[in-house]
Amino acid sequence: MSGLISGISHWLRQVLQESEAERAEQAFLARTGALQAESLDFDTALSKLARLAVSHFSDWCLIIMVEPDRANPRLFLAGRDPDRKSFLPQLEEAYRIDARGRYGSGQAIVSGRPVLIERFTDAHLAAMVPDPTQLALFQRMAVTSYLSVPLIARGRVIGAIAFGHSGARRRFGARDLALAEELARRGALAGDNALVYCEARRAEAAVQRLNAELERRVAERTAELEAFSYSVSHDLRAPLRAIDGFSLVLLEDYGEILDPAGREYLARVRRASQRMAELIDAMLNLVRLSWSELRREPLDLSARARDIAEHLYQSEPARSVAFDIAGGLTATGDPRLLGAVLENLLGNAWKFTRKQADARIEFGVREGAGERIYFVRDNGAGFDMAYADKLFGAFQRLRSPGEFEGHGIGLATVQRIIARHGGRIWAEGAVGQGATFYFTLGGTGS
């Protein structure tokens, strides 16, 4: 009977001990899990994990993180024995893990499998650390049992975590291995989070440096273009002003000496020089569209079109033109540039309906293929679709300057503005039957 009672007592003690061990393990894992959310700082997260391991699980803990952009792995080492902690910094400085080594953490990293050495000897240590100077330093750790498991995140090995006991009576076993693997799983997540965070910070810094460099280059380029524009404007205008001015002097002071043909020739010279000055302005304006800053603001296109129509009426009050401008047409874009689009398109429609007794101009919108398509339609002179590809070329004209005034730059300007807003423009027409210009504004229409 006494033997039975003794056996039951021994069994109960084992059950209680195992229950107590399980509760301690669960508390330990709970604390390691909390590290995943405590800090995204790489060093902080893994240093805490190493210190936590030595306070609950082992006498020594070494965490090795292998980073693609670092020549040497990153190390985090913690020890429990206060008498041996004094040489930890020296140990960390000396230690360089061989990621392709045959033993220990190197083996765990390469194979992706744990390494358990229940009775760790000097022979094991010598195999891991062949350098005699470093070997003497590591021998001071007095490791008697060794356990290393790989850190695996998203299917790849990112490092290893190694544990060591220094007491002769303490040995790692199967239960410790299971706990270490669970700890490694959580540690890998914390380490991977830290790696991702660090990579994101590095990428963000790289983007910021790139943006700063681009802004600097844009500023330099803008200054160069502004200087070029000023130079072109000044250098080309100066001789034109001289030609126009001296031609005017000849007409005013010597006009009576000249016959009508001579006076007409001088008048033509003046008109040509003035037209050249206008072409220079149009050309420079087209160039500026390529590098000027693009502002994006909500814009009431209907209101802007009505203002333009009113201005056109005032410029030629004798004309009778019926405008049909749809209400509520809005967009998001550069107000100045989109205003120039409407001025050019409505101005062209006004110009090319001059010979129509019942001139009509319409500005509206239609939905097509999931996008908003704006249009300006007129019943004016129209154009031959065979030459439609020339409409948006700079200085391309489908009609002679004598028939309709203009520089041949307006539609090229419109196309450039539309393209900068991520949209496209095209036209349909027929000679004598008017024309319709369609345009989109990419993602800026609303």
Side-chain angles (χ1 to χ4, degrees):
M1 177 65 91
S2 60
L4 177 61
I5 294 174
S6 176
I8 292 174
S9 299
H10 178 71
W11 175 78
L12 286 174
R13 282 196 300 271
Q14 284 186 322
V15 169
L16 291 174
Q17 288 174 353
E18 290 177 358
S19 298
E20 184 63 28
E22 288 178 358
R23 285 194 295 269
E25 289 175 1
Q26 292 301 319
F28 171 51
L29 291 175
R31 292 192 61 184
T32 61
L35 291 177
Q36 299 171 13
E38 281 184 7
S39 174
L40 286 176
D41 177 74
F42 192 99
D43 293 350
T44 300
L46 295 183
S47 293
K48 283 184 176 181
L49 181 60
R51 291 195 299 270
L52 185 61
V54 299
S55 66
H56 289 79
F57 183 66
S58 63
D59 296 316
W60 298 96
C61 179
L62 172 66
I63 300 177
I64 305 144
M65 295 297 298
V66 180
E67 298 177 68
D69 58 346
R70 289 176 61 93
N72 294 315
R74 194 185 294 260
L75 308 175
F76 303 90
L77 179 62
R80 176 183 297 182
D81 191 338
D83 294 334
R84 295 190 176 98
K85 281 184 179 180
S86 60
F87 66 92
L88 281 181
Q90 184 182 0
L91 194 64
E92 288 180 330
E93 181 66 23
Y95 193 88
R96 290 295 180 268
I97 188 68
D98 177 11
R100 293 176 174 82
R102 295 175 298 161
Y103 300 99
S105 299
Q107 184 180 1
I109 291 172
V110 172
S111 68
R113 294 189 297 271
V115 176
L116 172 60
I117 305 176
E118 184 177 350
R119 296 183 179 276
F120 191 81
T121 66
D122 286 344
H124 292 113
L125 183 59
M128 293 181 187
V129 188
D131 182 83
T133 302
Q134 295 183 10
L135 177 61
L137 185 62
F138 277 85
Q139 284 174 337
R140 296 175 61 185
M141 297 174 68
V143 173
T144 57
S145 187
Y146 181 84
L147 174 60
S148 179
V149 290
L151 299 174
I152 301 175
R154 291 179 289 178
R156 66 184 182 93
V157 178
I158 63 172
I161 181 168
F163 307 95
H165 280 319
S166 296
R169 292 179 298 176
R170 302 184 66 185
R171 295 286 185 267
F172 290 118
R175 186 188 186 100
D176 299 307
L177 176 59
L179 180 60
E181 288 179 328
E182 176 61 21
L183 178 62
R185 186 187 68 79
R186 300 183 182 211
L189 180 58
D192 187 56
N193 287 344
L195 277 175
V196 170
Y197 179 71
C198 291
E199 290 170 359
R201 290 292 298 273
R202 285 195 293 268
E204 181 183 2
V207 169
Q208 290 175 348
R209 289 193 299 271
L210 179 60
N211 286 339
E213 176 65 16
L214 288 176
E215 289 177 2
R216 183 186 66 79
R217 292 185 180 183
V218 167
E220 291 177 354
R221 184 63 173 165
T222 299
E224 292 173 1
L225 288 170
E226 288 176 348
F228 168 76
S229 297
Y230 175 80
S231 176
V232 168
S233 178
H234 179 271
D235 294 346
L236 292 182
R237 283 176 182 276
L240 290 175
R241 284 195 298 267
I243 293 171
D244 185 45
F246 283 115
S247 298
L248 178 60
V249 170
L250 285 174
L251 284 172
E252 291 178 347
D253 295 349
Y254 302 94
E256 295 180 357
I257 302 175
L258 299 173
D259 59 11
R263 288 193 296 272
E264 176 60 23
Y265 291 151
L266 282 175
R268 289 185 180 183
V269 170
R270 290 199 66 206
R271 287 196 296 270
S273 64
Q274 292 168 1
R275 177 173 173 77
M276 185 63 185
E278 293 172 354
L279 287 174
I280 291 172
D281 288 339
M283 180 184 69
L284 292 176
N285 183 58
L286 182 62
V287 171
R288 290 189 183 101
L289 290 176
S290 300
W291 51 265
S292 61
E293 181 182 0
L294 190 68
R295 295 163 43 219
R296 294 190 182 277
E297 300 175 6
L299 178 65
D300 187 337
L301 296 179
S302 297
R304 187 73 181 90
R306 285 192 288 269
D307 290 341
I308 294 170
E310 182 62 29
H311 177 76
L312 292 171
Y313 278 135
Q314 293 174 1
S315 67
E316 295 184 71
R319 286 193 61 185
S320 176
V321 180
F323 272 94
D324 181 6
I325 299 174
L329 302 186
T330 61
T332 300
D334 190 296
R336 179 179 62 87
L337 297 182
L338 291 185
V341 167
L342 294 180
E343 287 174 1
N344 275 283
L345 294 180
L346 292 172
N348 275 353
W350 178 273
K351 176 172 61 177
F352 289 109
T353 56
R354 183 167 292 133
K355 298 180 181 180
Q356 293 295 117
D358 60 340
R360 298 187 308 278
I361 299 174
E362 180 184 1
F363 175 46
V365 68
R366 73 181 191 189
E367 302 295 331
E371 61 181 348
R372 174 165 284 192
I373 302 173
Y374 305 92
F375 64 85
V376 173
R377 179 178 293 122
D378 66 70
N379 64 339
F383 63 91
D384 188 340
M385 285 293 290
Y387 303 102
D389 58 332
K390 295 184 178 181
L391 281 173
F392 302 102
F395 306 111
Q396 296 288 333
R397 297 178 56 87
L398 301 188
R399 295 181 178 274
S400 67
E403 187 178 4
F404 293 100
E405 75 278 5
H407 307 119
I409 200 74
L411 289 179
T413 299
V414 167
Q415 185 186 49
R416 187 72 58 85
I417 294 173
I418 295 299
R420 290 200 65 191
H421 282 78
R424 55 196 177 91
I425 184 169
W426 67 99
E428 297 175 356
V431 176
Q433 299 181 34
T436 304
F437 286 84
Y438 301 94
F439 66 93
T440 67
L441 294 173
T444 63
S446 60

